[in-house]
Amino acid sequence: MIMKEVINIINRETKEENEIFIHMTEGRKITSLALLFAAYRKKEKINGAYYITEEEHNLIKLPLLDFNINETKKNILLEIKKGDSELKTLQNRLKLKQSAIYKSIQELKKDEYISKDEKLKLTELGEVMIL
């Protein structure tokens, strides 16, 4: 929830053409992680993420890792979120070959964006990837 709110703020600030820096020194660990993950998700809109050490007050620039997925996989996740979890339905809606859908789903399962259960459903990480 925190990450989603931060992503909304990043999007709003980007529209206003403001520079965006993430400062994650203060606050609870869960808040700091949400800030960092939002920065990862919106890496192209962020000028940097920083942590200031408590003892020496040193500024540490944090690396912004890449969590992007291709459009096909993102569209599959979006369709699953809507409740479409049948391969044939996904194939028809996304106009892809069955082999392409199957391969993408296997990769999404491997990367833990969707559950490894029989029925396709998003994991928490899958939910993050469509924000």
Side-chain angles (χ1 to χ4, degrees):
M1 201 155 86
I2 296 168
M3 184 180 160
K4 187 174 185 177
E5 186 176 327
V6 172
I7 286 173
N8 288 336
I9 292 169
I10 291 169
N11 290 335
R12 184 179 66 237
E13 293 298 318
T14 300
K15 284 180 186 172
E16 295 177 15
E17 299 182 7
N18 293 323
E19 286 188 291
I20 303 168
F21 296 89
I22 301 292
H23 173 243
M24 47 177 289
T25 305
E26 310 280 327
R28 296 177 25 206
K29 289 178 189 172
I30 194 71
T31 303
S32 295
L33 288 172
L35 285 168
L36 188 58
F37 291 155
Y40 290 163
R41 193 66 189 105
K42 295 296 180 176
K43 177 182 176 178
E44 72 283 355
K45 297 179 179 184
I46 302 293
N47 290 63
Y50 298 89
Y51 179 84
I52 301 172
T53 62
E54 189 175 337
E55 307 80 21
E56 304 284 327
H57 304 291
N58 293 328
L59 184 67
I60 298 173
K61 183 170 183 172
L62 302 171
L64 293 176
L65 305 176
D66 193 359
F67 281 108
N68 288 326
I69 58 174
N70 66 36
E71 280 301 307
T72 299
K73 290 179 183 176
K74 186 172 183 178
N75 288 335
I76 290 171
L77 293 176
L78 288 167
E79 289 299 319
I80 292 170
K81 171 87 172 164
K82 291 179 195 173
D84 297 326
S85 61
E86 298 294 323
L87 290 179
K88 195 67 170 167
T89 304
L90 291 172
Q91 181 182 347
N92 292 337
R93 289 228 173 152
L94 300 174
K95 297 180 181 13
L96 294 169
K97 293 181 180 180
Q98 184 177 3
S99 59
I101 293 283
Y102 182 79
K103 182 178 185 244
S104 293
I105 286 175
Q106 293 311 310
E107 290 171 359
L108 289 166
K109 282 182 177 183
K110 180 181 174 264
D111 293 337
E112 299 183 9
Y113 298 137
I114 56 178
S115 67
K116 295 181 179 171
D117 301 336
E118 191 71 27
K119 181 171 171 38
L120 299 177
K121 61 183 177 182
L122 299 182
T123 61
E124 287 184 14
L125 183 56
E127 294 277 351
V128 165
M129 295 308 290
I130 59 173
L131 289 176

